[in-house]
Amino acid sequence: DVHIVVRAAMWVDVDSVEIVVDGVTYDTLSVATDCTQNGVVRCDLTVPVPVAATNGYVVVAAYGNQAMEPVMRDRVPFGATNPIYLAP
């Protein structure tokens, strides 16, 4: 299982979380329906993921659709982890 916590300022839109396992999208979750939220914690959940026998990894990315104005005009939010290597 992978425990995911996405934190963002209240003015930063976070709509979805993508879970990539071994380079392939495993799941894309809606923050509104799939995540527990509390203030700046925009998504808090635990997801079971398959683990490869060797060299398995997970990357988690968070996306938003609304521009980050007035701080960054015409830019939408995006954040990602480094690879998280898993052992069976």
Side-chain angles (χ1 to χ4, degrees), residues 2 12-15 19 25 31 34 38 50 55 67 71 76-77 80-81 84:
V2 174
V12 175
D13 177 49
V14 182
D15 293 321
I19 302 164
T25 297
V31 169
D34 297 319
N38 185 10
N55 300 324
V71 177
V76 292
T81 66
I84 302 163

Side-chain angles (χ1 to χ4, degrees), residues 1-4 17 19 21 26-27 29 34 45-50:
D1 292 355
V2 174
H3 183 198
I4 299 167
V17 175
I19 302 164
V21 178
Y26 174 71
D27 203 354
L29 305 169
D34 297 319
L45 74 150
T46 300
V47 179
V49 296

